[in-house]
Amino acid sequence: MTTTRVLIVDDEILVRSGLGLIVGSAPDLEVVGDCSGGQAEEHVQRLRPHVVLLDIRMPDLDGISVLRRLRALPDPPAVAMLTTFDTDEYIGTALRAGAAGFLLKDTAPEQLVHAVRVLAAGGNILSPTVTSTVIGGYVDGGGPDAEATALARTLTVRELDVLALLGEGLSNAEIADRLFLGTGTVKDHISAILGKLGAANRVQAAVLAHRAGLVRPKPGDGA
């Protein structure tokens, strides 16, 4: 069994310890280190983690600056941003800087372990909880964005269907079930969608789906 190497970057020692205990409890995951933001680049170069869990707000060196440094390294690790905030003004910047996803710090232990495995496999973290709280908070409530709507018009009808469900935070398997497609077909559609939208990953595509008005607000979301 291949072991996934994980580095935890947070300014609070107790947070690092707690996350480390959860992640390290999985037999296929190994926490190779933890540190504050200023030490992150050196730790990544020395320890070569596959996945980095990175606090988005730190006093010594903020998470966005750390993310940019890590993404500039040769063969950079997958980086998921950690936040305690339902909405965070840094979300948009982190998306553009190449974050592979977002995790709330109160994510359930089993979901955290699953998220690390998804990141290690080259996926992006986009659970329904994160979509509705983090991404939903990043997108303003002023109606569809003209630029996003124009980009969405470049997609086929089926690709729009897939993008809308991706925006809800559904996995490939869930999208396949909803649209009565094979998972391989869904993967092909998502690859085409990312290319047409110029999106680096599923998270960026999901944000565009919200901005284009493709994702219907759920009852109780404050609409």
Side-chain angles (χ1 to χ4, degrees):
M1 179 172 56
T2 302
T3 300
T4 296
R5 300 168 60 83
V6 182
L7 175 68
I8 299 170
V9 182
D10 195 291
D11 61 302
E12 297 184 25
I13 296 177
L14 286 177
V15 172
R16 300 202 306 255
S17 299
L19 293 173
L21 287 173
I22 293 170
V23 174
S25 67
D28 57 328
L29 306 180
E30 177 188 4
V31 178
V32 295
D34 62 75
C35 63
S36 62
Q39 302 170 307
E41 187 175 1
E42 182 273 330
H43 274 59
V44 167
Q45 290 177 313
R46 178 169 55 87
L47 300 172
R48 306 306 300 170
H50 302 111
V51 173
V52 174
L53 302 179
L54 172 62
D55 188 10
I56 203 167
R57 294 185 180 221
M58 293 179 289
D60 62 337
L61 185 63
D62 68 88
I64 301 298
S65 298
V66 174
L67 172 63
R68 288 178 175 143
R69 292 184 182 186
L70 298 186
R71 295 300 299 166
L73 294 174
D75 192 23
V79 181
M81 310 303 293
L82 297 168
T83 178
T84 57
F85 301 89
D86 285 354
T87 59
D88 196 305
E89 63 268 29
Y90 296 151
I91 294 299
T93 304
L95 286 168
R96 290 186 287 273
F102 298 89
L103 290 168
L104 300 179
K105 286 187 178 180
D106 61 358
T107 297
E110 63 274 10
Q111 292 176 343
L112 177 61
V113 169
H114 172 72
V116 171
R117 289 170 176 154
V118 170
L119 287 163
N124 301 103
I125 304 308
L126 193 59
S127 70
T129 300
V130 173
T131 300
S132 61
T133 55
V134 179
I135 293 180
Y138 162 60
V139 180
D140 65 38
D145 176 278
E147 181 183 1
T149 301
L151 281 171
R153 290 198 188 104
T154 66
L155 305 180
T156 67
V157 173
R158 180 55 84 190
E159 288 167 352
L160 285 171
D161 291 339
V162 172
L163 179 60
L165 296 177
L166 190 155
E168 292 183 18
L170 272 63
S171 67
N172 287 358
E174 290 168 334
I175 293 172
D177 287 343
R178 186 79 64 86
L179 298 178
F180 303 102
L181 299 172
T183 54
T185 301
V186 171
K187 288 181 182 178
D188 291 341
H189 281 312
I190 290 176
S191 294
I193 288 167
L194 296 183
K196 290 181 180 180
L197 300 182
N201 54 45
R202 296 168 67 100
V203 181
Q204 291 184 6
V207 168
L208 189 139
H210 281 266
R211 288 174 51 207
L214 298 176
V215 182
R216 297 177 181 176
K218 294 180 174 63
D221 279 355

